Amino acid sequence: MKAFLAALALVSAQIAAAHYTLPDLIANGTTFADWVYVRTTQNHYSNAPITDVNSTEFRCYELDMNATPGETQIATVEAGSTIGFKAVRSLSQSSPVDNTFYHPGYFSAYMSPASPAANSPEAGTGQSWFKIWEDPPVFENGQLVFPSTSISEITFTIPKSLPSGQYLIALHVASSVGGAQFYIGCAQLNVINGGDGKPEPLVSIPGVYTGYEPGILINIYDLPANYPGYTSPGPAVWQG
Ligand SMILES: *[C@@H]1O[C@H](CO)[C@@H](O)[C@H](O)[C@H]1NC(C)=O
Ligand SMILES: *[C@@H]1O[C@H](CO)[C@@H](O)[C@H](O)[C@H]1NC(C)=O
């Protein structure tokens, strides 16, 4: 009985430690400070996931949907350049600090033109979002093999043909443990030297997920019989 309780405590400690935020934008090869270009999220202290895919907060999970955009700076980045996000875990954890994603998850990045500006609350409120990148698990030897969770940074490319202008970029990480648990960060961008591409398909956030997609509502440790392989939730990636 004692051993059982000890094991239980260990599991819950790991789950608590696995919570994180995505406060740091990576651009031009530099990792910028917490919440400079990324809108401060409601979980900036608790690091807890957001679970309601239909909440208006599911878009960027701002601390204050009206005030936070204006308190966040806009990063200028070139179309075709590499950008990314760095995860940060609870500040209260013991050293050495471990900022890895830890939990298996499906990673995706969405962008939306930002009108009237990237630092305005109205930006990204319509059917204006398109997916520019994803990192889904692969199905191998009867198991889902997830993108590495021992990293703390993920990077991807802003499509070269994306028209210049102001955008929001949202990184969504759907954790496959405990159903629909999402970690979200939104950075404010001014894209320069863009092209004349036409991003599609366009979706609304919230609205992009119901929460019942086979890629979200999934028990990765108990896959159904005749599992067909992972199906990414949401739209296809715009190839730019
Ligand atoms: C990134 O580099 C571009 C020039 O290539 C520059 O205009 C921009 O200000 C830089 N962005 C940041 C966030 O430092
Ligand atoms: C989210 O909203 C959609 C559309 O109204 C609905 O079908 C779905 O059941 C909702 N999901 C949850 C988890 O409530």
Coordinates of all heavy atoms in Angstrom, one line a residue, residues 1 37 43 55 69 71 75 77 88 90 97 99 108 113 126-127 141 145 154 156 187 194 207 214 217 220 227-228 232:
M1 N 0.8 -1.2 0.0 CA 0.0 0.0 0.0 C 0.9 1.2 0.0 O 0.6 2.2 -0.7 CB -0.9 0.0 1.2 CG -2.1 1.0 1.2 SD -3.1 0.8 -0.3 CE -3.9 2.3 -0.4
Y37 N 6.9 39.8 -27.2 CA 6.2 39.7 -28.4 C 5.0 38.7 -28.4 O 4.2 38.7 -29.3 CB 7.1 39.3 -29.6 CG 8.2 40.3 -29.8 CD1 9.5 40.0 -29.7 CD2 7.9 41.6 -30.3 CE1 10.5 41.0 -29.9 CE2 8.8 42.6 -30.6 CZ 10.2 42.2 -30.4 OH 11.1 43.2 -30.6
N43 N -2.7 31.7 -18.1 CA -2.0 30.7 -17.3 C -0.5 31.1 -17.0 O 0.3 30.2 -16.8 CB -2.0 29.3 -18.0 CG -1.3 29.3 -19.3 OD1 -1.0 30.3 -19.9 ND2 -1.0 28.1 -19.8
S55 N -14.3 28.2 -26.3 CA -14.1 29.5 -25.6 C -13.5 30.6 -26.5 O -12.6 30.2 -27.2 CB -13.3 29.3 -24.3 OG -12.8 30.5 -23.8
P69 N -3.4 42.8 -25.8 CA -2.8 43.1 -27.1 C -2.0 44.4 -27.1 O -0.8 44.4 -27.6 CB -4.0 43.1 -28.0 CG -5.0 42.2 -27.3 CD -4.8 42.5 -25.9
E71 N -0.5 45.9 -24.8 CA 0.6 45.8 -23.9 C 1.8 45.0 -24.4 O 2.8 44.8 -23.8 CB 0.2 45.3 -22.5 CG -0.7 46.2 -21.8 CD -1.5 45.5 -20.6 OE1 -1.3 44.3 -20.4 OE2 -2.3 46.2 -20.0
A75 N 6.7 42.2 -33.4 CA 8.1 41.8 -34.0 C 8.1 41.9 -35.5 O 7.2 41.3 -36.1 CB 8.4 40.4 -33.5
V77 N 9.5 40.6 -38.9 CA 10.1 39.4 -39.4 C 10.0 39.3 -40.9 O 9.0 39.8 -41.5 CB 9.6 38.1 -38.7 CG1 9.9 38.0 -37.2 CG2 8.1 38.0 -39.0
V88 N 8.3 27.6 -21.4 CA 8.9 27.8 -20.0 C 8.0 27.1 -19.0 O 6.7 27.3 -19.1 CB 9.0 29.3 -19.7 CG1 9.4 29.5 -18.3 CG2 10.1 29.9 -20.6
S90 N 7.0 25.9 -14.9 CA 6.8 26.6 -13.7 C 8.1 27.2 -13.1 O 9.1 26.5 -13.1 CB 6.2 25.6 -12.6 OG 6.2 26.2 -11.4
V97 N 16.6 23.8 -14.1 CA 15.3 24.2 -14.7 C 15.1 23.3 -15.9 O 16.0 23.2 -16.8 CB 15.3 25.7 -15.0 CG1 14.0 26.0 -15.8 CG2 15.3 26.5 -13.8
N99 N 12.7 23.0 -19.1 CA 11.7 23.6 -19.8 C 11.1 22.8 -20.9 O 10.5 23.3 -21.8 CB 12.2 25.0 -20.4 CG 12.2 26.1 -19.3 OD1 11.4 26.1 -18.4 ND2 13.2 26.9 -19.4
S108 N 0.8 22.6 -33.8 CA 0.5 23.2 -35.0 C 0.6 24.8 -34.8 O 0.4 25.3 -33.7 CB -1.0 22.9 -35.5 OG -1.9 23.2 -34.5
P113 N -4.1 37.3 -40.7 CA -3.9 38.8 -40.9 C -4.5 39.5 -39.7 O -5.5 39.1 -39.2 CB -4.7 39.1 -42.2 CG -5.0 37.8 -42.8 CD -5.0 36.8 -41.8
G126 N -12.2 36.9 -37.0 CA -13.0 36.4 -38.1 C -12.5 35.0 -38.6 O -11.7 34.4 -37.9
Q127 N -13.1 34.6 -39.7 CA -12.7 33.4 -40.4 C -11.4 33.7 -41.2 O -11.5 33.8 -42.4 CB -13.8 32.8 -41.2 CG -13.5 31.4 -41.8 CD -14.5 30.8 -42.7 OE1 -15.7 31.2 -42.6 NE2 -14.1 29.9 -43.6
N141 N 4.6 0.5 -35.9 CA 4.6 -0.8 -35.1 C 3.5 -0.8 -34.1 O 3.7 -1.1 -32.9 CB 5.9 -1.0 -34.4 CG 7.1 -1.0 -35.4 OD1 6.9 -1.6 -36.5 ND2 8.2 -0.4 -35.1
V145 N 4.1 7.5 -32.4 CA 5.4 8.0 -32.0 C 5.3 9.5 -32.2 O 5.1 10.1 -33.3 CB 6.6 7.5 -32.9 CG1 7.9 8.0 -32.5 CG2 6.6 5.9 -32.9
I154 N 10.4 25.1 -30.4 CA 10.1 24.6 -31.8 C 10.2 25.7 -32.7 O 9.8 26.9 -32.4 CB 8.7 23.9 -31.8 CG1 7.6 24.8 -31.4 CG2 8.6 22.7 -30.9 CD1 6.8 25.2 -32.6
F156 N 9.8 27.0 -37.1 CA 9.2 26.7 -38.4 C 9.4 27.9 -39.3 O 9.9 28.9 -38.8 CB 7.7 26.3 -38.3 CG 7.0 27.1 -37.3 CD1 6.4 28.4 -37.6 CD2 6.9 26.7 -35.9 CE1 5.8 29.2 -36.7 CE2 6.2 27.5 -35.0 CZ 5.7 28.7 -35.4
A187 N 1.9 35.3 -30.9 CA 2.8 36.4 -31.1 C 2.3 37.4 -32.1 O 1.5 37.0 -33.0 CB 4.2 35.9 -31.5
G194 N 7.3 40.1 -48.2 CA 6.4 39.0 -48.5 C 6.1 38.9 -50.0 O 6.7 39.6 -50.8
G207 N -13.7 27.5 -33.1 CA -14.5 27.0 -34.2 C -13.7 26.0 -35.0 O -14.4 25.1 -35.7
P214 N -10.7 12.8 -33.9 CA -9.9 11.6 -33.5 C -8.5 12.0 -33.1 O -7.8 11.2 -32.4 CB -10.0 10.7 -34.7 CG -10.5 11.6 -35.8 CD -11.2 12.7 -35.2
L217 N -9.4 13.8 -29.2 CA -10.0 12.9 -28.1 C -9.4 11.5 -28.3 O -10.0 10.7 -29.0 CB -11.5 13.0 -28.3 CG -12.2 12.6 -27.0 CD1 -11.9 13.5 -25.8 CD2 -13.7 12.6 -27.3
I220 N -3.8 7.7 -26.1 CA -2.6 7.2 -26.8 C -2.1 5.9 -26.2 O -1.3 5.2 -26.9 CB -1.5 8.3 -26.9 CG1 -1.0 8.7 -25.5 CG2 -2.0 9.5 -27.7 CD1 0.2 9.5 -25.5
Y227 N -6.7 0.6 -35.5 CA -6.4 2.1 -35.5 C -5.8 2.4 -36.9 O -4.9 1.8 -37.3 CB -5.5 2.4 -34.4 CG -5.2 3.9 -34.3 CD1 -6.2 4.8 -33.9 CD2 -3.9 4.4 -34.5 CE1 -5.9 6.2 -33.8 CE2 -3.6 5.8 -34.4 CZ -4.6 6.6 -34.1 OH -4.4 8.0 -33.9
P228 N -6.4 3.4 -37.6 CA -6.0 3.7 -39.0 C -4.7 4.6 -39.0 O -4.2 4.8 -40.1 CB -7.2 4.4 -39.6 CG -7.8 5.1 -38.4 CD -7.6 4.2 -37.2
S232 N -4.6 14.4 -38.3 CA -4.5 15.8 -37.7 C -5.8 16.5 -37.6 O -6.6 16.5 -38.6 CB -3.5 16.6 -38.6 OG -2.3 16.1 -38.7

